[in-house]
Amino acid sequence: FPSHDRLGAVVTEPVSYEEAKDYLKLSNDVEQDLIESLITSARIRLEQFCNQSFVNRTIVCTYPCMDGWRELPYQPNADITSVENEDGDEVEYEERYSLYKQIKVYSAEPVVVTYDAGYSVLPEIYRLAILKEVSSNYWNRETDSKGVGKEAMMLLSGSRRMTFLGI
């Protein structure tokens, strides 16, 4: 299984505070920090659920070894910038597909893949799922919720990316 050594920083969330405030039908800014935090946590949970990057960022993924084709996690629209061994030497690879890229490498040693991925404009269904997660966590913050809420899960169940490794 690959490890996600680094997910690049997110500069702008795909859902703004104002959009979430309107969705929640709030009339003041008293809880702005809380709502902004809920937006970020909802995006992260939904990205993990879907195995996709909702925003453009650089991802560094380390595979302990590779023996053929692997779909890169946290896509879509991956643009591979480097495939190297742990010493920083280039590793020969092939790639295929454009939306959900796969790479082929044969190496008994760890392989570090660096790529840029994510949506430049997040599709509306994902934005709605983030808003539903924010709403659910805002109005039910006293309960101990784990994972993705039912409404967001139903919305995105068809968008979930599963590789043969289950990640």
Side-chain angles (χ1 to χ4, degrees):
F1 295 98
S3 67
H4 306 93
D5 296 332
R6 289 191 307 273
L7 295 177
V10 173
V11 178
T12 304
E13 290 293 344
V15 171
S16 72
Y17 163 71
E18 289 299 324
E19 290 171 296
K21 179 181 161 187
D22 290 345
Y23 189 83
L24 295 168
K25 299 188 183 335
L26 300 177
S27 59
N28 61 52
D29 294 325
V30 173
E31 297 182 305
Q32 181 173 351
D33 291 342
L34 171 65
I35 293 167
E36 288 174 344
S37 175
L38 291 173
I39 292 167
T40 299
S41 66
R43 177 192 45 81
I44 291 169
R45 274 193 317 281
L46 293 172
E47 284 179 327
Q48 291 170 345
F49 175 76
C50 292
N51 193 24
Q52 295 187 46
S53 180
F54 288 5
V55 294
N56 283 318
R57 68 175 119 194
T58 299
I59 299 169
V60 178
C61 187
T62 302
Y63 293 84
C65 64
M66 289 185 75
D67 61 352
W69 290 104
R70 298 284 187 273
E71 183 175 298
L72 297 174
Y74 286 96
Q75 296 199 58
N77 306 317
D79 182 24
I80 298 170
T81 54
S82 69
V83 179
E84 304 172 333
N85 62 23
E86 286 187 312
D87 296 329
D89 299 324
E90 283 188 31
V91 173
E92 195 173 307
Y93 70 96
E94 292 178 50
E95 61 182 78
R96 66 181 179 191
Y97 308 129
S98 58
L99 186 59
Y100 291 97
K101 191 153 292 179
Q102 293 183 351
I103 64 168
K104 180 166 80 172
V105 175
Y106 291 99
S107 175
E109 302 298 318
V111 175
V112 180
V113 181
T114 304
Y115 58 101
D116 297 321
Y119 290 98
S120 53
V121 176
L122 189 64
E124 193 58 34
I125 193 167
Y126 297 103
R127 292 173 37 75
L128 180 58
I130 291 172
L131 289 168
K132 286 187 176 296
E133 274 295 285
V134 168
S135 177
S136 176
N137 287 302
Y138 181 80
W139 296 114
N140 301 303
R141 61 186 123 161
E142 300 303 321
T143 61
D144 184 24
S145 67
K146 294 181 178 143
V148 175
K150 285 183 181 182
E151 287 188 68
M153 192 179 298
M154 287 174 44
L155 263 178
L156 298 182
S157 62
S159 301
R160 194 169 190 189
R161 296 292 302 172
M162 297 295 287
T163 67
F164 71 93
L165 292 175
I167 55 170

